[in-house]
Amino acid sequence: MKAAVFQGPGPIAWRDVPDPGVKDPGDAIVRVDVVTICGTDLHILKGDVPEVTPGRVLGHEAVGTVVETGRDVRTVRPGDRVLISCISACGRCRFCREGRYGQCRGGGGWVLGHTVDGTQAEYVRVPFADLSVHPLPSAVDGFDAVLLADIFPTSYEVGVLNGGVRPADTVVVVGAGPVGLAAVVTARLYSPGRIIAVDVAASRLAAARTLGADATATVGEGPEQLVEDLTEGLGADVVMEAVGVPEAFEMCTRMVRPGGRVANIGVHGKPAVLHLEDLWIKDVTITTGLVDTSSTPMLLRMMAAGRLPAADLVTHRFELAQMEEAYDVFGRAADTGALKVALGGPQHTAVEAAGSPEAG
């Protein structure tokens, strides 16, 4: 099959790799119908995630069709259309029992496209399938559903829930990429008083306004002064960092009010300065986190009911074979206006999944 292969810092290669097979009784082999590229994948290509080694198939978000399962899989069967979660959960370790699947110590967590081959391929092996794939209602379009694999649960859990967004809050989202825009959408579920979006790209701020941001500012327009003016000098109740660079995180800590909350969502590859000389007296709460995807079933029900706008986030569509072009377009989002790119088709009719007798 063809797959997007990490070669070390720099561009990916769309090339031939072996077909996946069932290795463990809880595995599912899924034909990839729709897949997308994440900002985390760009961090990997920059060398920010050293656990990803050359030769790894990237990707952790997809919608597909099950073609084979291990003998222990009970919740899906061949032919089912499923959402592949970015997080795999063993279901047995301490953290899984607490619903903190992102911290799984039983072989799960963020493994796809990280420590095992991922979803940017024609087929993918999904471990712990019973807890790591979600059957899709026929009414939910695959190009919408793929956004529930990562960006919507990430923004909701790591941003909105960790940040403790409440009615009438002033919420600032620094970074209006896909996760930041999803944070704008999901923060609105809690009726904040206002949402302010900050980014370097005017096109992304326009998308933020379309999705519900009440005010926007580019970095050059003085977002800190805007927050101060709108809050009468108090600062924001909740500030979410959705970029993953030191400057953005440090900006967030300057915009939060005393007693407020900074929720870091971004993937950081470099140290950021924590200015405790300013923050120690302000009663500020700072949270970090990896998504658990425990909210995915709820978000999927909302999408099926038409309560979760998603279509506007996918700005570019490609076929799977155009993976290298899709990476180029997404990596130059400031020039191309890309928010989320999605790839799908053409479809396949068979797969040789050479699972071992012990596993299958």
Side-chain angles (χ1 to χ4, degrees):
M1 69 172 184
K2 295 286 189 179
V5 180
F6 177 61
Q7 306 176 103
I12 59 100
W14 180 249
R15 61 176 175 83
D16 289 324
V17 300
D19 289 342
V22 171
K23 293 183 179 179
D24 297 309
D27 290 348
I29 306 300
V30 180
R31 181 190 71 200
V32 174
D33 299 330
V34 181
V35 68
T36 185
I37 302 170
C38 181
T40 301
D41 296 319
L42 300 184
H43 280 281
I44 291 171
L45 296 185
K46 293 176 183 177
D48 290 344
V49 189
E51 299 86 2
V52 181
T53 54
R56 177 68 62 222
V57 175
L58 296 184
H60 51 267
E61 308 161 88
V63 167
T65 304
V66 177
V67 297
E68 185 180 1
T69 60
R71 65 171 180 264
D72 289 350
V73 177
R74 298 289 182 267
T75 60
V76 294
R77 59 186 180 181
D80 286 349
R81 194 172 69 113
V82 296
L83 170 69
I84 300 173
S85 174
C86 65
I87 298 295
S88 302
C90 79
R92 298 183 297 271
C93 71
R94 168 183 173 174
F95 290 110
C96 283
R97 289 177 180 272
E98 294 174 355
R100 301 184 66 175
Y101 306 132
Q103 303 301 322
C104 175
R105 290 298 183 268
W110 172 37
V111 294
L112 291 172
H114 184 204
T115 58
V116 305
D117 286 340
T119 58
Q120 289 169 8
E122 294 178 296
Y123 299 92
V124 59
R125 179 181 73 91
V126 182
F128 308 114
D130 278 339
L131 287 174
S132 306
V133 301
H134 303 270
L136 284 179
S138 59
V140 177
D141 181 77
F143 283 90
D144 292 340
V146 74
L147 302 180
L148 298 181
D150 186 352
I151 67 167
F152 270 102
T154 292
S155 64
Y156 179 65
E157 295 173 19
V158 186
V160 175
L161 294 185
N162 280 3
V165 176
R166 295 175 294 198
D169 275 354
T170 292
V171 176
V172 179
V173 180
V174 176
V179 170
L181 293 173
V184 171
V185 172
T186 52
R188 283 173 54 86
L189 300 175
Y190 290 82
S191 299
R194 63 171 67 89
I195 299 175
I196 304 165
V198 179
D199 200 273
V200 296
S203 60
R204 291 190 165 189
L205 293 178
R209 289 191 292 272
T210 299
L211 292 168
D214 302 288
T216 61
T218 64
V219 173
E221 291 174 334
E224 295 177 50
Q225 186 62 52
L226 174 64
V227 172
E228 185 171 347
D229 291 345
L230 291 176
T231 61
E232 298 180 344
L234 184 63
D237 300 285
V238 181
V239 187
M240 304 181 203
E241 200 279 356
V243 184
V245 299
E247 296 81 5
F249 175 78
E250 293 169 30
M251 178 190 296
C252 290
T253 63
R254 292 192 296 269
M255 291 193 292
V256 68
R257 67 165 172 82
R261 301 167 298 282
V262 176
N264 183 86
I265 312 173
V267 177
H268 288 264
K270 297 179 180 179
V273 176
L274 181 62
H275 287 282
L276 287 177
E277 73 277 12
D278 299 322
L279 295 172
W280 73 270
I281 201 170
K282 293 181 67 175
D283 296 346
V284 169
T285 299
I286 298 174
T287 61
T288 65
L290 176 65
V291 64
D292 295 311
T293 66
S294 56
S295 66
T296 301
M298 178 271 290
L299 294 170
L300 182 55
R301 291 194 300 272
M302 291 187 65
M303 179 173 283
R307 302 287 187 178
L308 196 67
D312 291 341
L313 288 173
V314 177
T315 55
H316 294 72
R317 294 190 182 190
F318 301 87
E319 292 190 356
L320 279 177
Q322 297 175 290
M323 185 69 70
E324 293 174 349
E325 180 183 349
Y327 259 97
D328 176 65
V329 168
F330 188 57
R332 296 186 299 107
D335 299 323
T336 63
L339 296 177
K340 197 71 170 169
V341 303
L343 304 92
Q347 299 301 306
H348 305 270
T349 57
V351 61
E352 294 181 7
S356 67
E358 294 78 15

